[in-house]
């Protein structure tokens, strides 16, 4: 109920306004309508139906009635135009899925009755085409087009000539020429188009019959039937139509039917309509014609506001989408706080995708009340991503045997916060899958959890989702929902997540959507595959918004362009005023050629542009402080050109316009080198870790660790002192380190097999002959078994995986490793005989570091140690890279881009062997690069100045001196850990993001 006023005079039969124009001219449009209706109807508003183009306007209108009446009275009945049509019809509008499914049935029935061969097209394949056709049928009916004539045989122009009577001879000739060029040739595409087109009339008729038999309709069908067979449903004494602009033919016909007992309030400005009611620009294209047909209630003097001297327009170019949102705070500061009490200020989004940024940019300390009328997109809530990965797992992730899922689809589910909310063991299972390299986790591994229960059909999939959503909803219930404790402490705990209520609502909305899909599937109304189920679910979720709860007629308003219809604001901030957003680029997918659309009166691009022109100018016409911002960065939205409507404003000298630009305040990033000083505590920690003279259980220092220290001491600090590691993850791809590990293990297994030794443990030296290697080279089963065992141990973490379970990339790597083994065998054939002394040998020696007063154990794993021609040879396998030489010992320990780190590592092993003095023979360091091992002249022995090193002991003194000095730097307090100057080393470093490299 509204405030009551005393009975007033009977409505004037003259149709003119009962208000003085001068006094009300500065009022809002809805305020003018409210005052005029009270003057006309008095207390008899309960017998009046007021129809708005949108629901939002009725809330504001109620407030204006309250302000003008100041006494209690019954409010009028409110309708949107869709609701008014629905009120007068016995049919109900079906949802889009049901409509497309019924359309498919009609299409198949007509096609099979007319074609020589039945169609094999499924609903899944038809669905997208069905959506386009449904839009076309809807528009045909809304505009009351003769569908049978429209969908007649396009090849027979005579069928349409009766409809061309209003065209000139030249126009008919042009259309004839179009027909000839478009449909004259007999291409396969044209034939396919015409074969479908020629049955659309019968599909249209049968489709409507099927819907009518079920009491259903699509919007256009319902509207057309209402106006073609007017009933006694429109029984109210008076109808008032407020703020309409463009009208479909069916809406126009309804207006004509109700005209004897209706009032029409048009909202416009003479800025874009001249005195003769002909439109000056595209914004007035439809209003002028509507005024002539249905009359005008309010006096024209109310509609001269656009050129008000109080109007100030500011046009701002922003270099980014985020820049627009960041400007909101400055815009709020420019207004008085009192203007955020009444709904006098609005932020209007031409691009509704930036809503989250806008919401976060509004400071609650500056604006107490914010009313967001658009709703939060469900696609930006966690439930959307959760449902998507669940369905993807069910569709794409199920292994062929149906007893396991592919890890690629399981891990995202296990890592999702919602899974971890309802399944406590999710994190533990994820860790197990990653650590044990489980590529096909079974239901047993997944603890037989319902989240990972396979589904066989779309109906089962829908039931499965409902179960999961229900569990999630229970987990998100607040204590008040459960009837539990609502004390202050509990409420504070619940309020820790400011989005709790929003997320709870999103879960509820998702449950309703999936439940609707299940209803259609269970009733047999649609029959779809699971892949189509996913597309439908995504479509439904993307079109759903979660309503914000706020006071609709208080505070700052945030809305989209369509929601501004009939509303007026003093202060307006219009964001993303770009071409493509204002006017918006409509979905122009249609099966009806454009020339026919124009001929029969269906909407065209020009039609849509005129509609948006009206939205734009109407929104600005009564505003006083207008700020229009457009984005100049094409990379973010793809639309960087200012709206044509802004250009039109700029061309008018009567307007008070200022221009400005927003530039991101970006200072060049001054990168400070990251330096970690060696404090006494840090030095002591290093000594405790590596000094064997003070700690008998001290760790050894490996050549690979020293390589990292030389290349980048900061990386050494992060990896070996702070012990930071990149998070383990599972991948079907083999990175270079895993590939190398598999090859090394394969080479070890090969020679252990040749020496008839166990695969691990004890090793007895043996002689390798050419005949022995020749047997191995020709034994494919042996090599395959060795490589499979290596993959199982190093990649599949001890699991016995058959080749049939390898994916394509794993099979390729399997064959590459096998090829490298053969290459190793052929390389060694050229060198036989030789004696293998050890494989994957752990060798260490103590090094004194005089500068630090320490003793350090240094060493690592030597791939292969052999004796040949009276010397001890260290063989280090390299599965990548090519052989290098070195010029100086010192150069091996310098920080530079092209340092020969592999040679340095092998020299460390040689130094360790020399110190052990286990072999009184020359020591020959060699690097066996597998990429080069196939060359007949290839030698793996390391070279100095193109000469092979025959005995490392000749270099031992010089190398040890340089090496111990470098190790001493690790413990030197005056040399901090710092970033490398050899930036090429940063390319594959795990810490490059931390270092901003």
């Amino acid at each position: 109920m509204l405030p009551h006023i005393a009975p007033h005079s009977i409505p004037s039969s003259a149709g003119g306004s009962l208000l003085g124009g001068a006094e009300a001219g500065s009022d809002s449009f809805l305020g003018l309508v409210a005052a005029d209706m009270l003057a006309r109807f008095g207390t008899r508003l309960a017998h009046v139906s007021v129809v708005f183009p949108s629901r939002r306007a009725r809330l504001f209108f109620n407030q204006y009635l309250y302000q003008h009446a100041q006494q209690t009275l019954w409010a009028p009945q409110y309708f949107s135009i869709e609701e008014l049509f629905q009120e007068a019809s016995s049919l109900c509008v079906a949802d889009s899925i049901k409509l497309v499914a019924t359309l498919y049935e009609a299409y198949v029935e007509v096609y099979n009755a007319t074609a020589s061969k039945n169609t094999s097209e499924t609903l899944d394949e038809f669905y997208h085409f069905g959506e386009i056709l449904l839009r076309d049928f809807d528009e045909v009916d809304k505009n009351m087009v003769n569908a049978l004539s429209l969908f007649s045989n396009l090849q027979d122009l005579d069928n349409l000539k009766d409809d061309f009577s209003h065209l000139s001879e030249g126009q008919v000739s042009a259309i004839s020429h179009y027909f000839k060029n478009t449909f004259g040739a007999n291409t396969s595409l044209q034939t396919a188009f015409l074969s479908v087109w020629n049955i659309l009339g019968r599909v249209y008729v049968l489709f409507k019959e099927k819907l009518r038999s079920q009491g259903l309709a699509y919007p256009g069908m319902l509207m057309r039937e209402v106006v073609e067979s007017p009933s006694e449903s429109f029984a109210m004494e008076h109808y008032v139509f407020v703020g309409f602009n463009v009208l479909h033919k069916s809406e126009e016909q309804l207006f004509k039917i109700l005209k004897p007992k209706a009032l029409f309030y048009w909202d416009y400005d003479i800025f874009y309509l001249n005195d003769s009611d002909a439109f000056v620009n595209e914004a007035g294209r439809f209003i002028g014609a509507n005024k002539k047909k249905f009359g005008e209630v309010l006096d024209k003097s109310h509609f001269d506001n656009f050129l008000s001297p109080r109007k100030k327009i500011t046009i701002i170019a922003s270099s980014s989408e985020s820049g627009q949102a960041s400007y909101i705070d400055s815009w709020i500061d420019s207004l008085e706080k009192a203007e955020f009490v009444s709904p006098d200020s609005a932020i209007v989004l031409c691009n509704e995708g930036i809503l989250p940024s806008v919401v976060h940019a509004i400071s609650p300390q500056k604006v107490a009340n914010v009313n967001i009328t658009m709703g939060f997109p469900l696609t930006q809530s966690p439930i959307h991503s959760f449902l998507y990965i669940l369905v993807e797992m069910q569709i794409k992730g199920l292994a062929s045997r149906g007893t396991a899922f592919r890890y690629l689809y399981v891990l995202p589910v296990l890592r999702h916060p919602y899974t971890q909310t309802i399944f406590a063991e999710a994190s533990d299972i994820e860790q197990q899958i990653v650590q044990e390299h489980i590529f096909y986790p079974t239901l047993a591994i997944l603890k037989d959890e319902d989240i990972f229960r396979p589904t066989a059909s779309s109906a089962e999939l829908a039931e499965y989702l409902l179960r999961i959503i229900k569990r999630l909803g229970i987990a998100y219930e607040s204590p008040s929902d459960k009837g539990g404790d609502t004390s202050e402490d509990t409420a504070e705990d619940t309020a820790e997540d400011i989005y709790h209520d929003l997320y709870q609502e999103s879960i509820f909305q998702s449950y309703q959507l999936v439940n609707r899909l299940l209803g259609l599937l269970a009733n047999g109304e649609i029959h779809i595959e699971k892949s189509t189920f996913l597309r439908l679910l995504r479509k439904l979720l993307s079109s759903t918004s979660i309503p914000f709860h706020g006071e609709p007629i208080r505070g700052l308003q945030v809305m989209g362009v369509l929601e501004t219809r009939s509303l007026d604001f003093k202060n307006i901030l219009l964001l993303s005023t770009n071409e493509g957003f204002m006017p918006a680029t409509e979905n122009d997918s249609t099966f009806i050629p454009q020339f026919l659309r124009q001929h029969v009166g269906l909407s065209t691009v020009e039609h849509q542009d005129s509609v948006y022109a009206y939205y734009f100018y109407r929104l600005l016409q009564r505003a006083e402080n207008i700020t229009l911002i457009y984005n100049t960065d094409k990379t973010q939205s793809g639309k960087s050109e200012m709206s044509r409507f802004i250009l039109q404003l700029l061309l008018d000298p009567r307007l008070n316009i200022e221009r400005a630009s927003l530039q991101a305040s970006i200072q060049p990033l001054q990168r400070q080198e990251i330096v970690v000083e060696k404090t006494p505590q840090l030095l002591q920690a290093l000594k405790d870790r590596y000094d064997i003279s003070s700690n008998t259980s001290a760790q050894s220092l490996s050549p690979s660790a020293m390589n990292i220290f030389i290349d980048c001491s900061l990386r050494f600090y992060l990896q070996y002192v702070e012990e930071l590691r990149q998070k383990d993850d599972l991948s079907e791809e083999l990175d270079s380190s895993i590939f190398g590990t598999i090859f090394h293990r394969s080479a070890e297994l090969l020679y252990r097999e040749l020496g008839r030794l166990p695969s691990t443990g004890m090793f007895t030296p043996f002689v390798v002959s050419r005949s022995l290697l020749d047997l191995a080279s020709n034994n494919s089963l042996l090599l395959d078994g060795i490589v499979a065992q290596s993959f199982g141990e190093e990649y599949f973490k001890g699991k016995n995986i058959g080749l049939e379970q390898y994916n394509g990339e794993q099979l390729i790597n399997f064959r590459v490793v096998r090829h490298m083994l053969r290459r190793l065998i052929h390389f060694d054939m050229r060198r036989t005989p030789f004696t293998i002394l050890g494989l994957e040998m752990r060798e260490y020696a103590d090094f004194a570091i005089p500068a630090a007063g320490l003793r350090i154990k240094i060493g690592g794993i030597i791939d292969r140690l052999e004796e040949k021609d009276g010397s001890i040879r260290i063989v280090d396998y390299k599965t990548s890279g090519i052989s290098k030489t070195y010029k100086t010992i010192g150069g091996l320990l310098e920080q530079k881009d092209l340092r020969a780190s592999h040679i340095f590592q092998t020299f460390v092993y040689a130094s360790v062997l020399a110190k052990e003095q286990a072999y009184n023979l020359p020591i020959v360091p060699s690097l066996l690069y597998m990429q080069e091992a196939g060359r007949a002249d290839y030698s793996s022995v390391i070279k100095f100045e193109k000469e092979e090193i025959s005995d490392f002991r000749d270099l031992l003194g010089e190398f040890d001196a340089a090496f111990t000095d470098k190790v001493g730097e690790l413990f030197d307090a005056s040399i901090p850990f710092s970033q490398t100057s050899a930036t090429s080393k940063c390319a594959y470093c795990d810490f490059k993001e931390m270092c901003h490299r």
Side-chain angles (χ1 to χ4, degrees), residues 62 142 293 337 356 381 401 604 655 802 840 928 969 984:
N62 255 344
K142 283 180 177 177
K293 292 176 183 177
K337 289 187 177 180
S381 66
R401 289 171 293 178
T604 60
L655 296 173
E840 302 297 319
L928 179 51
E969 292 179 8
S984 65

Side-chain angles (χ1 to χ4, degrees), residues 813-959:
N813 281 291
F814 181 96
R815 289 166 183 164
V816 171
V817 173
R818 186 179 59 191
H819 176 73
M820 283 187 171
L821 270 187
R822 280 204 167 94
R823 180 172 286 183
L824 173 63
I825 292 170
H826 294 153
F827 172 79
D828 284 342
M829 278 182 181
R830 299 193 295 268
R831 302 174 53 252
T832 55
F834 58 86
T835 301
I836 294 183
L837 303 175
L839 296 168
E840 302 297 319
M841 295 176 61
R842 296 184 179 273
E843 296 291 338
Y844 300 93
D846 295 350
F847 282 72
I849 313 298
L854 309 173
R855 291 191 66 79
I856 309 297
K857 183 168 71 172
I858 294 175
I861 300 175
I862 298 174
D863 296 340
R864 189 169 94 192
L865 193 66
E866 62 183 41
E867 180 181 347
K868 177 176 172 56
D869 299 333
S871 62
I872 301 298
R873 182 168 298 193
I874 298 170
V875 181
D876 197 8
Y877 304 129
K878 295 300 173 186
T879 55
S880 61
I882 57 175
S883 57
K884 297 178 181 178
T885 61
Y886 77 102
K887 295 182 179 180
T888 64
I889 292 292
L892 295 177
L893 290 88
E894 290 178 3
Q895 187 178 97
K896 56 185 179 180
D897 287 321
L898 299 178
R899 187 175 68 88
S901 57
H902 292 165
I903 294 177
F904 166 79
Q905 182 173 330
T906 309
F907 278 13
V908 173
Y909 292 141
S911 177
V912 168
L913 285 180
K915 281 184 169 48
E916 286 185 338
Q917 297 181 351
Y919 309 99
N920 190 22
L921 293 172
I923 298 174
V924 179
S926 68
L927 287 167
L928 179 51
Y929 289 93
M930 299 312 303
Q931 292 184 10
E932 301 182 70
R935 298 201 324 256
D937 61 343
Y938 175 69
S939 172
S940 62
V941 178
I942 295 173
K943 296 178 181 180
F944 172 64
E945 296 292 351
K946 299 183 179 180
E947 293 293 330
E948 293 184 350
I949 297 173
S950 58
D951 190 354
F952 177 77
R953 292 178 298 179
D954 297 337
L955 306 173
L956 182 62
E958 183 182 359
F959 177 79

Side-chain angles (χ1 to χ4, degrees), residues 565-579:
R565 289 175 292 181
S566 302
L567 303 182
D568 293 301
F569 303 97
K570 177 183 176 182
N571 310 298
I572 291 175
L573 176 62
L574 193 62
L575 301 180
S576 300
T577 319
N578 286 77
E579 196 71 15

Side-chain angles (χ1 to χ4, degrees), residues 306-323:
F306 207 98
L307 296 177
S308 167
R310 295 192 300 271
K311 189 184 300 292
K312 177 186 176 183
I313 301 175
T314 303
I315 299 172
I316 300 177
S318 173
S319 59
S320 67
E321 292 279 3
S322 57

Side-chain angles (χ1 to χ4, degrees), residues 499-518:
Y499 288 105
H500 177 87
D501 291 339
L502 193 65
Y503 290 165
Q504 194 175 28
E505 181 68 21
S506 71
I507 293 169
F508 173 71
Q509 295 277 359
S510 300
Y511 186 90
Q512 286 188 313
L513 291 175
V514 177
N515 197 39
R516 175 58 183 146
L517 277 175
L518 176 59

Side-chain angles (χ1 to χ4, degrees), residues 173-187 190:
S173 175
I175 291 176
S176 300
H177 181 70
Y178 178 91
F179 269 94
K180 180 179 179 181
N181 289 339
T182 306
F183 305 112
N186 190 26
T187 66
Q190 291 165 344

Side-chain angles (χ1 to χ4, degrees), residues 229 502 547 786:
S229 304
L502 193 65
I786 286 172

